[in-house]
Amino acid sequence: MTKADKIVEIYKVLYKSYGPQGWWPFLDHEGTNSLKVGNTQGYHILDYSFPRNELEVFEVCLGSILTQNTSFNSVVKSLRNLKNKNALTPEAIHEMDIDELKLCIKPSGYHNQKSRYILEFITFFNALKGEVPSRDRLLEVLGIGEETADSMLLFGYKQLEFKVDAYTRRILLSLGLIDEKAKYDEIKQLMQEALSASITQKDERLIVYQEYHALIVNHAKLFYSKKPYGRNCFLHEMF
DNA sequence: TTCCAGGCAATAC
DNA sequence: GTATTGCATGGA
């Protein structure tokens, strides 16, 4: 069984175990439906029409910054703080007092850094005028590294960019599919080549990229949060 | 109390 | 180029 085959099989097993996850965005920007805010079971499961507009794209990007090295429950608190002030828009945050912004995002940590990152991103976002940013341009923005860029592109802009995070590394390392010093791009290419080969339809592949990452996070929270990583992980029994 | 969380930039070597 | 460090809050 090749690495690519294993990567495809892992997805099938995770999906069968946990089901579709339904991630970003989290808040209802149109008032037409009620998203399950803060529900760990998912927010809009099996509805892949999201994000439906620029505001929802913005929320995904904002969440991508806020979730850096931070649990997502904390991020949801910050987003709700902003939403409650009717300030979950680039314009409102831009006009907001910086200390007020810091207070809103305080639950998700690093508020001094992240407030600056957010303001830098808003300037960038406004200049886009609705266009999809290139990955390289995103990486030039202060506070946006590889994972955050891919997070914005995959979940916000529906681009075929696989998001690699610490959990992805741990699982792949534990299963012997990468080595410790594997770089971000190496892991990303491994995942993308495996999935591209087995899923020719782009719309379908996008959904799998999104769900796969979400499934990895869900699975890793259960088996890869405490050392030794991967203890009792049922994926080990597959190969 | 300690450890960890859906990383990043700055700095040191 | 690679390794280390500071950043901050909240929950287990």
Side-chain angles (χ1 to χ4, degrees):
Chain A
M1 207 172 189
T2 66
K3 284 186 182 180
D5 291 335
K6 290 181 180 179
I7 286 166
V8 173
E9 286 306 306
I10 290 167
Y11 178 75
K12 291 179 182 172
V13 169
L14 291 179
Y15 194 90
K16 183 174 282 188
S17 301
Y18 305 118
Q21 298 297 296
W23 262 25
W24 272 315
F26 296 88
L27 304 183
D28 181 7
H29 296 273
E30 295 187 335
T32 54
N33 61 359
S34 55
L35 301 183
K36 291 185 272 184
V37 176
N39 185 337
T40 54
Q41 294 306 304
Y43 299 82
H44 39 83
I45 294 172
L46 291 178
D47 182 352
Y48 299 105
S49 64
F50 295 88
R52 301 164 297 189
N53 53 55
E54 279 291 292
L55 267 188
E56 290 181 343
V57 172
F58 180 72
E59 189 214 295
V60 174
C61 294
L62 204 55
S64 298
I65 293 171
L66 290 174
T67 197
Q68 290 168 358
N69 204 35
T70 304
S71 73
F72 206 84
N73 283 335
S74 299
V75 175
V76 171
K77 286 180 186 169
S78 297
L79 292 176
R80 295 182 77 176
N81 285 341
L82 290 166
K83 179 72 173 176
N84 288 340
K85 294 193 173 202
N86 209 13
L88 202 54
T89 70
E91 295 78 15
I93 293 174
H94 182 71
E95 293 168 11
M96 186 183 282
D97 189 276
I98 181 89
D99 290 325
E100 191 181 359
L101 173 59
K102 288 180 181 177
L103 193 60
C104 286
I105 67 173
K106 207 157 190 169
S108 31
Y110 310 115
H111 56 272
N112 291 308
Q113 293 184 20
K114 287 179 177 174
S115 59
R116 187 176 168 204
Y117 294 169
I118 289 167
L119 292 174
E120 296 269 352
F121 175 74
I122 285 174
T123 300
F124 175 80
F125 182 81
N126 286 336
L128 290 173
K129 300 183 185 303
E131 295 289 302
V132 178
S134 72
R135 190 170 188 273
D136 286 341
R137 289 287 310 282
L138 272 174
L139 290 172
E140 292 172 3
V141 179
L142 185 73
I144 300 181
E146 292 187 290
E147 183 184 339
T148 305
D150 287 334
S151 184
M152 292 177 175
L153 290 169
L154 178 60
F155 290 100
Y157 289 99
K158 304 180 182 180
Q159 301 299 297
L160 284 170
E161 304 283 353
F162 197 91
K163 175 182 176 180
V164 176
D165 68 340
Y167 286 146
T168 311
R169 284 179 177 280
R170 281 181 203 173
I171 292 176
L172 294 179
L173 180 61
S174 181
L175 295 175
L177 296 175
I178 60 170
D179 57 75
E180 309 94 15
K181 55 180 181 62
K183 294 190 170 189
Y184 185 99
D185 200 54
E186 183 183 340
I187 300 170
K188 178 177 174 177
Q189 296 311 321
L190 176 68
M191 300 300 288
Q192 292 192 171
E193 285 169 17
L195 297 172
S196 297
S198 69
I199 309 168
T200 54
Q201 230 291 320
K202 281 192 177 181
D203 293 341
E204 184 187 349
R205 199 154 77 237
L206 179 72
I207 290 169
V208 171
Y209 279 18
Q210 292 183 346
E211 293 287 5
Y212 205 154
H213 175 74
L215 286 165
I216 283 172
V217 172
N218 189 71
H219 181 67
K221 279 179 177 171
L222 297 175
F223 300 105
Y224 291 82
S225 285
K226 286 182 295 186
K227 293 182 178 178
Y229 296 143
R231 185 171 53 187
N232 298 327
C233 168
F234 50 81
L235 296 177
H236 289 118
E237 296 152 27
M238 293 174 56
F239 314 116

